[in-house]
Amino acid sequence: MNTLAAYARRYRSRHAMLLPSHIPAYPVRESRLLARCCARAALAVAGLTISASSMAGNGLAVVNSKLAAATCAPERHGFVLMQDGHAALSSSPPRSSLAELRGTGANTVAVVPLLRQPEADSAAVDRSLDMSDGELAHTIRRAHKLGLHVIVDPRIQIPGAKPDDVRMAHDKDWAAWFHHYEQALVGVAAVAADEHAEVLVIGTDLDQTVARPEWLTVIARLRRVYRGRLVYAAQGSAGVAQVPFWNKLDAVGVTLFPMLNAEGGPATWRAALVEERNRLLAQARQARRPLYITEFGFRAEVDAAAPAAFGTTPTSPAINEATQARALNAWLSELSDPAIHAVLIWRWNNTAQNSRIAQAMTRRWRSCNRALVSW
């Protein structure tokens, strides 16, 4: 180790060369330690982040999984998968779709069972018919067999409205809403527990509800049913700031849709995300929790109010697959902070049909998952 330290000191001052070819050979373990030490020293001095490909160009392969991850993606990365209206998740095409999702290099999938609410001010919430307990269990099981981590992310669906439109006029209506919501959620949580899903999202974009004290009762009940990680997903940093119960959960969750201006380029796209990312990281640090981006897509400039993520809402014709793929790569490069533990792209159902996006994610994520290699 003294020899290794001497080499580290010797090459810390040589910015232009990470590991010269004349360094004598060491056993594999010491080679890895030396590579790690010198690479980090050179990066720190030069103030640079070097991609895996550029390191390989200097005769150095990926020396450390954390160093590789810093240039590609958070630890957990993948897609949101919803029930397809034309085929149940338990049928053959979605099984194939899960395998294709895994083939991109994704290591996580968020499975979305829908909860049904007839109107935004109605206290009636129940399980939608789109996904049975059996279908949910089968999907989790299949994802685990493929080596995917699973986030179960039940969402409220309201005809003609959004989850953040949910609001009640009186306390008794809120009590009724939370009672029905909790009952629906406990059923999903039981399946998630039985199938050992890694994460359960207890609510998404329900930002008009978070000040209610009933959430504490819901969380306590879910803890008795489900022992994995519990997350709530707020809408952006503004939504995160409203949530008073982060200390009762295991992560700060957020849905994130930065503006995509098709006429801009990577610098413009990054600028649309960086300020929001910094706010979210500050909020996660304050809550002393990791950050989970449970839903990540883009808003088109033509309709910034609509979550027009990968075809869910019509967007400008100028925003094509190539632009989307380039923007995603630019954005994911900005989401490599160690405090961000997961990023799930909205959504696989559409992305699977967009070959450029799938190809771009495959190149990025397969690189992220590359095993350690010595010289």
Side-chain angles (χ1 to χ4, degrees):
M1 288 302 297
N2 291 335
T3 303
L4 294 176
Y7 269 101
R9 286 193 297 272
R10 176 181 175 184
Y11 291 107
R12 190 175 290 116
S13 62
R14 298 189 180 183
H15 303 178
M17 188 181 298
L18 286 179
L19 290 169
S21 58
H22 62 267
I23 289 181
Y26 287 93
V28 171
R29 179 176 178 274
E30 292 182 352
S31 295
R32 288 178 179 171
L33 288 171
L34 178 60
R36 220 170 8 240
C37 178
C38 295
R40 284 174 175 166
L43 289 173
V45 173
L48 299 174
T49 300
I50 298 180
S51 68
S53 59
S54 64
M55 291 171 74
N58 284 287
L60 182 64
V62 178
V63 296
N64 182 286
S65 60
K66 290 183 180 179
L67 186 59
T71 65
C72 52
E75 179 183 3
R76 300 283 173 243
H77 47 271
F79 296 92
V80 177
L81 178 65
M82 295 188 70
Q83 181 82 290
D84 192 306
H86 302 290
L89 282 173
S90 58
S91 66
S92 177
R95 282 206 300 270
S96 173
S97 182
L98 269 175
E100 291 168 1
L101 185 154
R102 183 69 177 101
T104 66
N107 59 24
T108 304
V109 61
V111 181
V112 179
L114 294 176
L115 308 181
R116 180 175 51 191
Q117 185 170 332
E119 296 177 349
D121 59 354
S122 169
V125 182
D126 58 27
R127 289 287 299 277
S128 170
L129 298 177
D130 85 308
M131 187 185 301
S132 68
D133 285 353
E135 288 171 329
L136 176 58
H138 177 89
T139 303
I140 297 171
R141 207 172 302 134
R142 175 66 178 169
H144 280 158
K145 285 182 179 178
L146 289 167
L148 290 162
H149 294 264
V150 177
I151 296 174
V152 177
D153 185 2
R155 310 275 186 95
I156 283 186
Q157 187 177 54
I158 308 168
K162 305 184 298 297
D164 63 351
D165 292 326
V166 172
R167 53 176 57 81
M168 302 294 135
H170 305 287
D171 283 350
K172 63 180 181 59
D173 299 322
W174 276 119
W177 184 88
F178 271 100
H179 171 76
H180 292 120
Y181 182 71
E182 179 183 308
Q183 292 302 108
L185 210 56
V186 164
V188 174
V191 177
D194 289 344
E195 299 301 329
H196 307 289
E198 286 79 2
V199 178
L200 175 67
V201 180
I202 67 170
T204 295
D205 294 349
L206 294 166
D207 292 354
Q208 298 295 327
T209 74
V210 294
R212 298 295 307 181
E214 289 90 344
W215 273 111
L216 299 180
T217 303
V218 172
I219 293 169
R221 174 85 184 277
L222 290 172
R223 290 287 189 197
R224 293 195 293 271
V225 176
Y226 175 79
R227 296 187 179 277
R229 296 183 184 91
L230 292 183
V231 179
Y232 174 81
Q235 287 191 94
S237 60
V240 170
Q242 298 176 37
V243 178
F245 49 79
W246 293 123
N247 64 326
K248 302 296 183 182
L249 301 174
D250 302 298
V252 172
V254 65
T255 61
L256 191 56
F257 288 88
M259 177 73 71
L260 174 56
N261 177 355
E263 299 304 318
T268 304
W269 301 334
R270 286 190 174 100
L273 176 66
V274 167
E275 188 175 349
E276 177 74 344
R277 177 207 63 191
N278 291 343
R279 282 193 292 264
L280 289 168
L281 288 172
Q283 290 168 325
R285 283 194 297 271
Q286 184 177 9
R288 299 186 178 184
R289 297 292 186 273
L291 185 63
Y292 279 55
I293 301 175
T294 63
E295 184 181 335
F296 180 57
F298 68 89
R299 283 192 172 96
E301 187 177 34
V302 293
D303 188 5
F310 301 120
T312 56
T313 301
T315 63
S316 166
I319 303 180
N320 54 30
E321 288 182 22
T323 302
Q324 293 175 20
R326 290 175 63 213
L328 269 177
N329 267 318
W331 284 336
L332 288 172
S333 296
E334 298 298 333
L335 297 176
S336 58
D337 191 282
I340 303 175
H341 284 201
V343 172
L344 284 300
I345 293 174
W346 178 267
R347 64 182 176 136
W348 175 250
N349 310 58
N350 299 112
T351 304
Q353 301 169 19
N354 296 345
S355 58
R356 286 179 184 255
I357 296 171
Q359 289 167 7
M361 294 304 96
T362 299
R363 286 193 298 270
R364 170 178 288 273
W365 286 344
R366 283 184 178 173
S367 172
C368 292
N369 295 338
R370 187 176 297 146
L372 283 177
V373 233
S374 58
W375 301 67

